[in-house]
Amino acid sequence: MSITLSIIYLISTITFVIGLKLLGHPETAKKGNSIAAFGMGLAIIGTIFLNNLEVPIFIYILIIVAILIGSVIGWLIAIKVEMTKMPELVSLFNGFGGASAALIGIVEYGNNQADITQVTTIIAAIIIGSITFSGSMIAWAKLNGSLKKDIRLPKYNLINNLLLIALIVFGFFIVNGSINGEIIIYILLLFSLIYGILFVIPIGGADMPVVISLLNSLTGIAAAITGILYDNMVMMVGGILVGSAGLILTFAMCKAMNRSLSNVIFGAFGGDSVAAKKGSTIGGHIKKTNPSDVAVLMNYADKVVIVPGYGLAVAQAQHVIHELEELLTKKGVEVSYAIHPVAGRMPGHMNVLLAESNVSYDKLIEMDDINPQFKNTDVVLVVGANDVVNPAAHNDPSSPIYGMPILEVEDARSIIINKRSMNPGYAGIQNELFFNQKTSMLFGDAKETLTKLVQELKNM
Amino acid sequence: MSITLSIIYLISTITFVIGLKLLGHPETAKKGNSIAAFGMGLAIIGTIFLNNLEVPIFIYILIIVAILIGSVIGWLIAIKVEMTKMPELVSLFNGFGGASAALIGIVEYGNNQADITQVTTIIAAIIIGSITFSGSMIAWAKLNGSLKKDIRLPKYNLINNLLLIALIVFGFFIVNGSINGEIIIYILLLFSLIYGILFVIPIGGADMPVVISLLNSLTGIAAAITGILYDNMVMMVGGILVGSAGLILTFAMCKAMNRSLSNVIFGAFGGDSVAAKKGSTIGGHIKKTNPSDVAVLMNYADKVVIVPGYGLAVAQAQHVIHELEELLTKKGVEVSYAIHPVAGRMPGHMNVLLAESNVSYDKLIEMDDINPQFKNTDVVLVVGANDVVNPAAHNDPSSPIYGMPILEVEDARSIIINKRSMNPGYAGIQNELFFNQKTSMLFGDAKETLTKLVQELKNM
Amino acid sequence: MQQIIEFLKENLQLIYILILAVFIGVEVIKNIPAVLHTPLMSGANALSGVVIVGAILVMLNADPNNYVALSLGFLAVVLGIINVVGGFAVTDRMLQMFKKKKK
Amino acid sequence: MQQIIEFLKENLQLIYILILAVFIGVEVIKNIPAVLHTPLMSGANALSGVVIVGAILVMLNADPNNYVALSLGFLAVVLGIINVVGGFAVTDRMLQMFKKKKK
Ligand SMILES: NC(=O)c1ccc[n+]([C@@H]2O[C@H](COP(=O)([O-])OP(=O)(O)OC[C@H]3O[C@@H](n4cnc5c(N)ncnc54)[C@H](OP(=O)(O)O)[C@@H]3O)[C@@H](O)[C@H]2O)c1
Ligand SMILES: NC(=O)c1ccc[n+]([C@@H]2O[C@H](COP(=O)([O-])OP(=O)(O)OC[C@H]3O[C@@H](n4cnc5c(N)ncnc54)[C@H](OP(=O)(O)O)[C@@H]3O)[C@@H](O)[C@H]2O)c1
């Protein structure tokens, strides 16, 4: 490797560290992203043009064509995607990264079968890369709705863990030299892909963000391992950075939901059965309401707080909610949004969605700041949110969400809840808030119902 | 090096990182210190006993004797030292570290004169180590009062910079092989020591904490360089950690004083002349008071805030101030301390001093929290503080301390200032607060005056 | 076991690098506000596309007659660069939206 | 120049380690409360005593008949260990005081 290339890699590594650092602060995040992107560009161009190898021209052309094709595809997807589709997009891209690592491993297995360190890294890259790939694809399918059911083999946890152990033993034998041959590596690939599928498929759709974050961390590790193979520092350090940052992010998400990582991965089924039991114990009388009554109520309110949740994202109602907010503001009502950290499909997702529909930044109030304000609030409008306003988190130690901080909407003078049915939310538990005296249920799809509400308000 | 030793070094390095991290949070600081100390012990023991070298027994004995002697000395100093003497102690220890690095360099120069990398590191270790040593000794002497004057050669900045350049060129020629021989290295040592003295001697005593922090950072770098010489990771990483952490700490201190590092190092003289000019422009009438009047005033106050400063530390008045506080509290007066971040001789020094004299932690209120409280304060007692309560920092853009955040004691109903004279504080500027209508000056040494005050209060 | 020790011995510096990088990753990410979780995940995802460097090396090192290696390498480059370009672009788009709203 | 490039080439991993360590040092220290500045300075000072390891190596590697080297090494060990033991002990003493007051 030429010394220039080494220095370029060093610079890229530094841009990665600095970029990641800046990404962690709202004011500098954009700059951080650009710096990291710049470093990545540098590393790519350096790798192609400063390699000191004798390479036929047509391979250069192939590489450049590949890069052009991929860039155009990536770019188009990135600018076209709807912001509600963010989680599945990250999952898709992440899967591609994993696939890339696995492919590298396969080609390199053809070239090196002697050195034990190299074979180890190759096997690891193939296993991790393909698990990431197939796992991410399943996560993607679950999130975009193509795969609705959580398919669970009987004793799936046991099967999965056995399969994982088998994979590792298999890999060990290949490294060992006990088994070898071109075909063996494809079998390894196949089983890794299967494991990735079986790993993700039993996990509920709402847990996908955690899974994606975990898989993202794994892709980083795969990149780092490939870096060891090539003794390439930028891959190693960059990969490890993503690996450790991703893991921290994963734990942060679990913590915000008051669950453990193992509960997310292995506990899906247990969680549901508890939930089902719980659901039946709550009961009482519910009050229904309709858009025109709500319109009247809001029209004469001084202060309205909107609580957006997962259902808002699903219904794509972020634009109409913004319309509602503007209309009310014009009528002299003070409106703000209460943002729960894990409302929506991934952490911080509500911020992105509402920012996209031009909601002004200072109307989004974080949980800890808005909670004391509910006391002075006339109307709370909960749109497609459920768990994040469930008082069981405070009151019921046996509830699966017990201990999770929630938005304390109960304190408000009246509560309007928009959802389609009495079905529970992600945690699968009923919500006693719905039976509260102050609560009125506004049933219906968020987008349709809010559109009607806006219409009523306009006519007043 | 045996693999066990490598692993031990790795563990030590990790303890250093974790230890330093934990040292940064009040709850975990003590644990952090212990963890780092444990790692250090591991590294030392490992180095002695796992070295794979053939070493005569008597050398082992020598090493162990050296370690025992040094440990006893270090331990005794550490447990005996008064907390007011903290800055000079750090300076002393730091100087020893630097001296150790320089000595290593000298011995190793005798062994390696061939390899250019090694000679470079050796020369660098000698230069940096001895600058740190002699500089720290001067800082130590300045702080403990043995060296009172800031000795300044004419054009000292120019001379110092030329000397530094000469040192580097000298070192370069040694590395180059243009000059060599045993004697030459002692000349280098001598000149480095002289530079260290000349570097620190013109800087004012109150700036010593910044200088110590800088020299501490340099010792870290010297350790890292020695680590390169031995290809020893724990020295390299540990040294660099200290180097970069020390530099950040240095900048943080400068920022808290609203000065630049270069102003501290090169600007001492300039600063003074501006100050002298300023001093003369403020004037007016001052009101004097005496301990018995102050005792009456305090006896009937509801809320008293004590502002301790550099003078309190010098006068060793931290115990009597605590007595005063307890007495007042017993009489039903609400007493708290206002802690400015750079009050005293080094950052956070007041906290250490007051903690030592058993002042309860929750009575120490940080600047940002206490400032709004001065409005409701009956009496502010400023003891040996000056710059940290100087309103010029707010009002006078031409003042050298302009922009430094201060304790806004002016808002209180009455202000008592205890100091020995009208002499200015560290920044060398007069304080218009002394001429404020609400201010009364209580002249005298802090310890004596406060003792009298306590006596008067007891008699009431 | 012997092999692991060998590996450790030869790659000691590497291990330090990896451990230090883990610390940095952790240190840099913890305590970030929830608002930024989504962009951060997406940005980290783009960074993991650094595997593209390996994909390019596969192609550069490939025997010009080994069509399997070339095609797999080609695919790896395409997939890797999609991850990189798409990841950075979409992160930028998200952050752009925050910025616009802020003033 | 040539030599510098040589050095860089041979010690590439070392340079990564140094740079990463710088980042960690910075990341770990910034934003610490002023209360802890004094103990932190003292703790960092104790850490810089890691140079003691080098001093021990000097003695271990010294020619048993080279009394100059042995004495200088002896002195280096004494000074280094004073820095280490004294530094950690006094930091602990300071922090002890904070702790006691806290409850
Ligand atoms: N944000 C994250 O990072 C993250 C990650 C993983 C898991 N989670 C979990 O996700 C949950 C998020 O809480 P949440 O309150 O936002 O959501 P939630 O508790 O899952 O509730 C969403 C509600 O929206 C309603 N809904 C669905 N589609 C709708 C539509 N088209 N129109 C109107 N309503 C609709 C559903 O009720 P109907 O079916 O009756 O309409 C459902 O009760 C938490 O439990 C959290 O722990 C979050
Ligand atoms: N803490 C740090 O990290 C640090 C580091 C470097 C510089 N500094 C600087 O140090 C200054 C600290 O401010 P400060 O207000 O604490 O101190 P200051 O401004 O230096 O004032 C101290 C005052 O104490 C009085 N004094 C001295 N000995 C005394 C005694 N025995 N009894 C009673 N009074 C005595 C002096 O006046 P008389 O002579 O009239 O008695 C002097 O005016 C700031 O300017 C800061 O920037 C601080």
Side-chain angles (χ1 to χ4, degrees):
Chain A
M1 195 169 17
S2 78
I3 182 78
T4 329
L5 188 52
S6 299
I7 292 174
I8 284 183
Y9 283 158
L10 181 61
I11 295 173
S12 297
T13 309
I14 295 175
T15 66
F16 290 177
V17 174
I18 294 178
L20 207 53
K21 220 175 103 133
L22 296 182
L23 263 172
H25 299 277
E27 321 80 51
T28 54
K30 202 164 174 300
K31 203 165 117 201
N33 189 55
S34 310
I35 289 177
F38 169 79
M40 186 69 84
L42 218 55
I44 293 174
I45 293 172
T47 310
I48 301 178
F49 295 107
L50 298 170
N51 56 62
N52 283 1
L53 297 167
E54 293 214 4
V55 181
I57 290 292
F58 89 95
I59 290 193
Y60 276 116
I61 294 176
L62 272 185
I63 293 177
I64 291 173
V65 169
I67 287 188
L68 287 182
I69 295 178
S71 300
V72 171
I73 297 178
W75 182 263
L76 286 181
I77 301 181
I79 58 167
K80 287 251 168 88
V81 70
E82 290 160 23
M83 281 296 144
T84 36
K85 298 275 188 299
M86 217 50 241
E88 45 260 57
L89 187 71
V90 173
S91 186
L92 189 72
F93 285 162
N94 189 42
F96 288 174
S100 190
L103 288 173
I104 294 172
I106 289 183
V107 178
E108 290 296 343
Y109 182 72
N111 304 336
N112 320 267
Q113 290 177 24
D115 184 306
I116 199 157
T117 312
Q118 296 204 327
V119 178
T120 312
T121 53
I122 289 170
I123 299 299
I126 294 176
I127 295 181
I128 299 180
S130 27
I131 291 176
T132 321
F133 172 66
S134 61
S136 298
M137 289 305 124
I138 298 295
W140 171 76
K142 283 200 173 218
L143 282 170
N144 77 5
S146 358
L147 188 75
K148 287 245 169 68
K149 280 206 11 199
D150 309 339
I151 298 161
R152 292 188 186 124
L153 302 174
K155 300 226 181 278
Y156 63 95
N157 276 334
L158 188 69
I159 295 180
N160 284 356
N161 291 338
L162 286 180
L163 184 54
L164 183 60
I165 292 170
L167 261 181
I168 293 170
V169 172
F170 191 10
F172 182 76
F173 280 129
I174 301 181
V175 171
N176 220 10
S178 314
I179 39 178
N180 53 28
E182 206 50 18
I183 194 74
I184 223 75
I185 214 71
Y186 287 98
I187 298 179
L188 182 76
L189 176 75
L190 186 70
F191 276 104
S192 306
L193 290 173
I194 292 176
Y195 176 73
I197 296 173
L198 291 182
F199 172 69
V200 177
I201 218 158
I203 303 174
D207 273 335
M208 280 308 119
V210 180
V211 174
I212 294 174
S213 180
L214 191 68
L215 292 176
N216 188 11
S217 171
L218 278 183
T219 318
I221 293 170
I225 289 173
T226 325
I228 296 180
L229 180 64
Y230 293 113
D231 195 11
N232 182 304
M233 296 299 243
V234 75
M235 291 176 77
M236 277 192 281
V237 180
I240 289 290
L241 279 178
V242 175
S244 65
L247 219 52
I248 291 291
L249 211 56
T250 310
F251 285 118
M253 266 188 235
C254 290
K255 208 176 139 202
M257 296 191 299
N258 197 36
R259 294 176 65 191
S260 71
L261 183 58
S262 79
N263 179 270
V264 169
I265 294 176
F266 303 119
F269 196 64
D272 274 11
S273 70
V274 170
K277 245 192 281 148
K278 284 264 66 159
S280 51
T281 65
I282 298 179
H285 191 70
I286 63 160
K287 236 183 351 223
K288 286 192 203 171
T289 183
N290 56 54
S292 61
D293 287 356
V294 175
V296 174
L297 191 68
M298 288 193 164
N299 199 21
Y300 296 106
D302 285 330
K303 188 177 159 98
V304 170
V305 175
I306 300 171
V307 176
Y310 180 76
L312 176 105
V314 175
Q316 296 262 33
Q318 70 268 34
H319 293 282
V320 45
I321 201 112
H322 179 45
E323 211 183 328
L324 175 69
E325 169 229 314
E326 284 190 320
L327 197 61
L328 287 172
T329 311
K330 226 180 281 159
K331 286 175 183 280
V333 185
E334 187 194 332
V335 189
S336 48
Y337 296 85
I339 308 294
H340 190 283
V342 296
R345 286 168 159 229
M346 83 199 278
H349 195 198
M350 282 299 147
N351 300 72
V352 176
L353 281 185
L354 294 171
E356 187 210 6
S357 55
N358 270 314
V359 173
S360 130
Y361 199 80
D362 51 352
K363 299 224 156 172
L364 308 184
I365 323 276
E366 300 217 354
M367 180 169 63
D368 294 335
D369 298 327
I370 195 93
N371 269 342
Q373 293 184 27
F374 281 119
K375 270 193 293 297
N376 317 318
T377 302
D378 300 305
V379 183
V380 167
L381 174 63
V382 178
V383 184
N386 189 341
D387 298 338
V388 298
V389 295
N390 192 336
H394 283 335
N395 310 332
D396 181 0
S398 71
S399 165
I401 62 166
Y402 184 69
M404 174 170 109
I406 55 161
L407 292 164
E408 290 153 4
V409 297
E410 281 184 298
D411 295 344
R413 292 194 194 102
S414 59
I415 306 159
I416 310 293
I417 296 190
N418 171 230
K419 59 202 295 287
R420 293 164 311 176
S421 64
M422 284 303 285
N423 288 347
Y426 151 69
I429 50 175
Q430 261 305 355
N431 193 333
E432 94 193 33
L433 181 74
F434 302 164
F435 305 98
N436 190 311
Q437 294 237 348
K438 293 194 265 184
T439 304
S440 313
M441 304 297 294
L442 180 65
F443 287 120
D445 175 74
K447 195 165 181 180
E448 283 169 24
T449 317
L450 291 179
T451 312
K452 276 187 215 144
L453 178 58
V454 167
Q455 210 48 54
E456 295 281 351
L457 266 168
K458 275 197 184 141
N459 296 341
M460 276 169 65
Chain B
M1 195 166 21
S2 78
I3 183 77
T4 329
L5 188 52
S6 299
I7 292 174
I8 284 184
Y9 283 158
L10 182 60
I11 294 173
S12 297
T13 309
I14 295 175
T15 66
F16 290 178
V17 175
I18 294 177
L20 207 53
K21 221 175 101 131
L22 296 182
L23 263 172
H25 299 278
E27 320 80 52
T28 55
K30 203 163 172 303
K31 203 165 120 200
N33 188 55
S34 310
I35 290 178
F38 169 78
M40 186 70 82
L42 218 56
I44 292 175
I45 293 172
T47 310
I48 301 177
F49 295 107
L50 297 169
N51 57 62
N52 281 2
L53 297 167
E54 295 214 0
V55 180
I57 290 292
F58 88 95
I59 290 192
Y60 276 115
I61 295 176
L62 271 185
I63 294 177
I64 290 173
V65 168
I67 286 186
L68 287 182
I69 295 178
S71 300
V72 171
I73 298 178
W75 181 264
L76 286 181
I77 301 181
I79 58 167
K80 287 250 167 90
V81 72
E82 289 160 23
M83 280 297 144
T84 37
K85 298 276 187 299
M86 219 47 241
E88 45 260 58
L89 186 73
V90 173
S91 186
L92 190 72
F93 285 162
N94 190 41
F96 289 174
S100 190
L103 289 172
I104 295 171
I106 288 182
V107 178
E108 290 296 342
Y109 183 72
N111 304 338
N112 318 269
Q113 290 176 24
D115 185 309
I116 199 157
T117 312
Q118 296 203 328
V119 179
T120 312
T121 54
I122 289 171
I123 299 299
I126 294 177
I127 295 182
I128 299 180
S130 27
I131 292 176
T132 322
F133 172 66
S134 60
S136 297
M137 289 306 123
I138 297 294
W140 171 75
K142 284 200 173 220
L143 283 171
N144 76 5
S146 358
L147 188 77
K148 286 247 169 68
K149 280 203 16 197
D150 309 340
I151 298 161
R152 291 187 187 126
L153 302 174
K155 300 226 181 282
Y156 64 94
N157 276 334
L158 188 67
I159 294 179
N160 283 358
N161 291 338
L162 285 180
L163 184 55
L164 183 59
I165 292 170
L167 261 180
I168 294 170
V169 173
F170 192 10
F172 181 77
F173 279 129
I174 301 182
V175 171
N176 220 10
S178 313
I179 38 178
N180 53 28
E182 205 52 18
I183 192 75
I184 222 72
I185 214 73
Y186 287 98
I187 298 180
L188 183 76
L189 176 74
L190 185 71
F191 277 103
S192 306
L193 290 172
I194 293 177
Y195 176 74
I197 296 173
L198 292 181
F199 172 69
V200 177
I201 217 160
I203 302 174
D207 273 335
M208 279 310 118
V210 180
V211 173
I212 294 174
S213 180
L214 191 67
L215 291 176
N216 187 12
S217 168
L218 278 183
T219 317
I221 293 171
I225 289 173
T226 325
I228 295 181
L229 180 64
Y230 293 113
D231 195 11
N232 181 304
M233 296 301 241
V234 74
M235 292 177 76
M236 277 191 282
V237 179
I240 290 289
L241 279 178
V242 175
S244 66
L247 218 52
I248 291 292
L249 211 55
T250 310
F251 284 119
M253 268 188 233
C254 289
K255 207 173 140 204
M257 297 191 297
N258 198 36
R259 294 177 65 192
S260 71
L261 183 58
S262 78
N263 180 268
V264 169
I265 294 176
F266 302 119
F269 198 64
D272 275 13
S273 72
V274 170
K277 243 191 282 146
K278 285 263 70 158
S280 53
T281 63
I282 298 179
H285 191 70
I286 62 158
K287 239 185 345 227
K288 287 191 201 171
T289 185
N290 55 53
S292 62
D293 287 357
V294 174
V296 175
L297 192 67
M298 286 190 165
N299 200 21
Y300 297 106
D302 285 330
K303 187 178 161 100
V304 170
V305 174
I306 299 171
V307 177
Y310 178 76
L312 176 105
V314 175
Q316 295 262 35
Q318 69 269 30
H319 293 283
V320 44
I321 200 111
H322 179 42
E323 211 184 326
L324 176 69
E325 170 229 313
E326 284 189 320
L327 198 60
L328 287 172
T329 311
K330 226 180 281 160
K331 286 175 183 280
V333 185
E334 186 193 333
V335 189
S336 48
Y337 297 85
I339 308 294
H340 190 282
V342 297
R345 284 167 160 232
M346 85 198 277
H349 195 198
M350 282 300 147
N351 299 73
V352 176
L353 282 185
L354 294 171
E356 188 210 5
S357 56
N358 270 315
V359 173
S360 128
Y361 197 81
D362 50 352
K363 299 224 156 175
L364 309 183
I365 321 276
E366 301 217 354
M367 180 168 64
D368 293 336
D369 297 327
I370 193 92
N371 270 341
Q373 294 184 27
F374 282 119
K375 270 194 292 298
N376 317 320
T377 302
D378 298 306
V379 183
V380 166
L381 174 64
V382 178
V383 183
N386 189 341
D387 297 341
V388 299
V389 295
N390 192 335
H394 281 337
N395 309 331
D396 181 359
S398 72
S399 165
I401 62 167
Y402 185 69
M404 173 169 110
I406 56 162
L407 293 165
E408 290 153 6
V409 297
E410 281 184 299
D411 295 346
R413 291 195 195 102
S414 58
I415 307 158
I416 311 292
I417 297 192
N418 170 232
K419 60 202 296 286
R420 294 162 312 173
S421 65
M422 287 300 285
N423 287 346
Y426 153 68
I429 49 174
Q430 262 305 354
N431 192 334
E432 96 194 30
L433 181 73
F434 302 164
F435 306 97
N436 191 311
Q437 294 237 348
K438 292 193 266 183
T439 305
S440 312
M441 301 299 294
L442 180 65
F443 286 119
D445 174 74
K447 196 165 182 179
E448 284 169 25
T449 318
L450 291 179
T451 312
K452 276 186 215 147
L453 179 59
V454 167
Q455 211 48 53
E456 296 281 352
L457 266 169
K458 275 194 185 142
N459 297 341
M460 278 169 63
Chain C
M1 197 56 209
Q2 194 50 44
Q3 284 157 347
I4 295 179
I5 289 181
E6 262 322 297
F7 179 81
L8 281 183
K9 247 187 181 155
E10 274 163 31
N11 295 283
L12 198 62
Q13 298 201 332
L14 201 63
I15 291 164
Y16 274 85
I17 293 177
L18 298 185
I19 289 178
L20 293 180
V22 168
F23 271 111
I24 293 184
V26 171
E27 211 49 40
V28 155
I29 291 308
K30 60 163 206 198
N31 300 335
I32 61 149
V35 201
L36 286 178
H37 275 157
T38 295
L40 197 84
M41 232 167 107
S42 146
N45 174 42
L47 269 188
S48 71
V50 70
V51 74
I52 174 84
V53 170
I56 294 174
L57 288 175
V58 160
M59 291 203 72
L60 290 174
N61 289 315
D63 173 351
N65 301 318
N66 183 344
Y67 292 118
V68 179
L70 279 180
S71 341
L72 292 181
F74 187 87
L75 192 57
V77 172
V78 173
L79 293 175
I81 198 83
I82 292 181
N83 186 355
V84 170
V85 173
F88 282 120
V90 85
T91 311
D92 190 74
R93 219 183 112 199
M94 257 187 274
L95 293 169
Q96 188 73 51
M97 283 174 343
F98 282 131
K99 206 152 194 180
K100 192 176 63 194
K101 278 341 133 305
K102 221 173 170 184
K103 319 177 216 156
Chain D
M1 197 56 210
Q2 195 50 42
Q3 284 156 347
I4 297 178
I5 290 180
E6 261 325 295
F7 179 82
L8 282 183
K9 245 185 182 156
E10 274 162 30
N11 296 283
L12 199 63
Q13 298 199 333
L14 201 62
I15 292 164
Y16 273 85
I17 292 178
L18 297 185
I19 290 178
L20 294 180
V22 168
F23 271 111
I24 292 183
V26 170
E27 211 51 39
V28 154
I29 290 309
K30 57 163 206 197
N31 300 334
I32 60 149
V35 202
L36 286 178
H37 275 158
T38 294
L40 197 85
M41 233 167 105
S42 147
N45 174 41
L47 269 188
S48 71
V50 70
V51 75
I52 175 83
V53 170
I56 295 173
L57 288 175
V58 160
M59 292 201 73
L60 290 174
N61 289 315
D63 174 352
N65 302 315
N66 185 345
Y67 292 118
V68 180
L70 280 181
S71 340
L72 292 181
F74 187 86
L75 192 58
V77 172
V78 172
L79 292 175
I81 197 85
I82 292 181
N83 186 354
V84 170
V85 172
F88 282 120
V90 84
T91 311
D92 189 72
R93 220 183 113 200
M94 256 188 278
L95 294 169
Q96 188 72 50
M97 284 177 340
F98 281 132
K99 205 152 195 180
K100 193 178 63 196
K101 277 343 130 307
K102 222 172 169 186
K103 322 175 211 150

